[in-house]
Amino acid sequence: MAGTNGKQKTVRDLVLSLVLIGLMAGVIYLFLPHDDSAPDIKRVSYDVELVTARRAASYPVEAPEGLPDSWKATSVRFDGSSFDHWHLGFQDPKGQYVAIEQSTQKAARFIDEASRGSEPTKTTQEIDGRVWRHYTGGRYDALVLEDKGATTLVTGTASFTRLAQMAKALEAS
């Protein structure tokens, strides 16, 4: 009988240890900071890259003019070795992603890559005298314009209203 009493103490000690460990984990969890808000994305300047792209690209490089400060530029790059690919990414006032993508790459392939698999719809939209085609169904929606030897996309997670707002702000110089 002496053996069973020892086994009961061992099981009881194990349960008590697990309870103590659980309590300690709970106390540690309570004191760790919890921030579920979206991280603040750093604003970038794209002036130098824009001047470089406009000098080097074989097409008129587009960038927004007159957008409110609530639109935050978050990424920029120009790759002259890869079909003169111009990228300018923004966070819109509602925290959604909007990007301007331009390239001389074959349109179908470029659109598929830049819009993450979106497909053309029958919807078109005239913005400042230019006709943009709506693409949807992929990771991003997109407005697409094929003109002057390049394909231009305004794409992202934002609504078509926001995409159109960006397309309306685009200017080439």
Side-chain angles (χ1 to χ4, degrees):
M1 290 278 184
T4 44
N5 191 14
K7 286 183 183 177
Q8 287 175 345
K9 283 184 180 180
T10 305
V11 171
R12 184 183 61 141
D13 290 344
L14 178 65
V15 170
L16 288 174
S17 295
L18 288 174
V19 168
L20 184 61
I21 290 170
L23 285 172
M24 292 301 291
V27 168
I28 291 171
Y29 177 80
L30 288 175
F31 287 103
L32 289 177
H34 303 292
D35 186 8
D36 294 335
S37 63
D40 187 33
I41 297 173
K42 182 182 169 191
R43 183 182 300 267
V44 299
S45 173
Y46 56 90
D47 297 334
V48 173
E49 289 85 354
L50 179 59
V51 169
T52 302
R54 285 182 170 164
R55 286 182 181 163
S58 60
Y59 57 85
V61 173
E62 304 266 2
E65 294 287 333
L67 280 178
D69 284 341
S70 55
W71 287 78
K72 185 188 295 186
T74 59
S75 59
V76 60
R77 66 184 164 275
F78 175 73
D79 186 353
S81 66
S82 180
F83 303 102
D84 289 343
H85 185 181
W86 167 245
H87 162 85
L88 183 56
F90 283 83
Q91 183 181 46
D92 81 355
K94 294 193 180 225
Q96 295 298 312
Y97 180 67
V98 176
I100 298 111
E101 304 280 353
Q102 285 186 282
S103 178
T104 58
Q105 184 178 11
K106 184 178 174 188
R109 182 177 174 106
F110 178 65
I111 294 166
D112 184 59
E113 289 173 4
S115 69
R116 310 289 196 263
S118 293
E119 296 288 332
T121 68
K122 294 181 182 196
T123 305
T124 59
Q125 183 173 359
E126 185 175 333
I127 302 170
D128 282 347
R130 301 190 295 181
V131 178
W132 298 76
R133 176 171 296 283
H134 285 222
Y135 276 66
T136 191
R139 182 170 169 203
Y140 299 148
D141 288 331
L143 295 173
V144 177
L145 176 71
E146 295 179 56
D147 191 25
K148 299 180 183 166
T151 303
T152 303
L153 277 80
V154 177
T155 187
T157 59
S159 67
F160 276 108
T161 301
R162 291 286 186 191
L163 298 178
Q165 185 179 0
M166 176 60 81
K168 184 174 177 59
L170 291 180
E171 290 188 18
S173 53

